[in-house]
Amino acid sequence: MNLTPDSKVIVQGTTISPSLAHAVVQMKTYGTGIVACVSPGQGGQELSGIPVFDLVEQVITNVGEIDISVIFVHPYKVLDAALEAIAAGIRQLIIVTEGMPPLDMVRLVRKAEITETLVVGPNCSGIIIPDKLLLGTHPSEFYKPGNVGLLSRSSTLTYEVAAELTQAGLGESVAVSIGSDFIVGSSFLQWLEILDEDENTDVIVLVGEMGGTSEEEAASYIAEAIDKPVVAYIAGLHAPATKLLGHASLLMTSKVVTNMVDAGTVESKISAFKTAEVLVAERPSEIPILIKKALKRRKK
């Protein structure tokens, strides 16, 4: 991971739209070093004072090597955009787009492994390092600098937990929404390792939800390899057992459906964390209390 205020960033979008313009302005205003946008067929224009190119390789020719690409293209065009960025030597990708075809994501994950490319998302709000760097759509008002590394599958839950941390005077070293599509690029395990080695992070908060087994895998990895204290929160414990409520991810999917796809239940995830001696919050407002408890327990 190489994320600094000096990182050179591009934004890849299918068209120049109001939503894309808003995201670009938000990141640029926060201080992110966006040097170009890429939108095929719209090269030669400007977006909020930022030059637009047709191809990523044209950006490289004009401004040099790029560190990060933030991708907002149509779900069925994400793979092409990501492979274009990788071919141009970009090794950190943030995919905000929701609903990328699973087989496309499988191909991208394989390519990322071969090229040692870090992929965050799809269906994520990206990464924010408070007061330094915004890559994606995090509402910056919920964050302030601190020593808590925040990891979450859900975008909105990331904001909610960040708000609780900020109100408690803790703040975040970095917040990462890894994405809530069925297949995502980087995992809880990768980010736990990154944050465990990060000198600006003293404690890690992991926010999970029903479905899949990524939280159980994370709990096992924490017990075996993570030295820093970890606090977990699993959303969805009180979701109805038979009614679909419709969420962008699995959080609001009924327990019947999650069992049909052999996904982990909220209870199994909580049990896994408790077995790993990870403090588990019952609600977001309890997380700051458990963080202070975990840090105090570590000092003894």
Side-chain angles (χ1 to χ4, degrees), residues 21 59 81 126 147 194 200 228 241 290:
V59 177
N147 62 359
I194 289 170
N200 297 314
K228 291 179 180 177
L290 293 184

Side-chain angles (χ1 to χ4, degrees), residues 4-200:
T4 72
D6 297 324
S7 296
K8 294 168 71 175
V9 181
I10 64 168
V11 175
Q12 292 177 263
T14 307
T15 59
I16 298 177
S17 63
S19 59
L20 179 62
H22 173 75
V24 169
V25 169
Q26 183 182 13
M27 287 187 283
K28 181 181 177 182
T29 302
Y30 202 70
T32 303
I34 301 177
V35 297
C37 295
V38 177
S39 185
Q42 299 183 44
Q45 302 182 44
E46 286 192 351
L47 181 59
S48 301
I50 299 169
V52 178
F53 295 87
D54 292 313
L55 301 170
V56 176
E57 64 180 19
Q58 293 173 340
V59 177
I60 305 296
T61 301
N62 282 270
V63 304
E65 293 185 0
I66 301 298
D67 300 301
I68 306 160
S69 176
V70 184
I71 299 175
F72 286 90
V73 305
H74 186 279
Y76 288 93
K77 296 182 179 180
V78 171
L79 179 61
D80 286 343
L83 292 179
E84 182 185 3
I86 292 173
I90 302 173
R91 293 295 175 260
Q92 296 174 113
L93 308 179
I94 313 293
I95 304 174
V96 178
T97 305
E98 174 184 351
M100 181 178 174
L103 289 179
D104 283 2
M105 192 60 202
V106 170
R107 288 184 58 190
L108 178 56
V109 168
R110 289 174 176 170
K111 186 67 174 181
E113 290 174 349
I114 294 171
T115 57
E116 297 185 348
T117 300
L118 177 67
V119 178
V120 178
N123 192 8
C124 76
S125 53
I127 300 173
I128 183 170
I129 301 176
D131 287 356
K132 291 184 178 180
L133 186 68
L134 172 60
L135 301 166
T137 59
H138 289 270
S140 59
E141 63 269 22
F142 294 134
Y143 301 86
K144 78 169 193 175
N147 62 359
V148 181
L150 174 57
L151 304 177
S152 175
R153 285 167 61 184
S154 166
S155 294
T156 51
L157 278 173
T158 313
Y159 315 153
E160 182 176 355
V161 173
E164 294 287 350
L165 297 175
T166 298
Q167 290 171 11
L170 293 171
E172 305 80 29
S173 55
V174 60
V176 183
S177 164
I178 67 171
S180 49
D181 274 3
F182 281 104
I183 303 175
V184 295
S186 55
S187 65
F188 278 142
L189 274 60
Q190 287 174 279
W191 282 101
L192 283 166
E193 181 180 2
I194 289 170
L195 293 180
D196 197 43
E197 297 174 355
D198 179 34
E199 61 183 17
N200 297 314

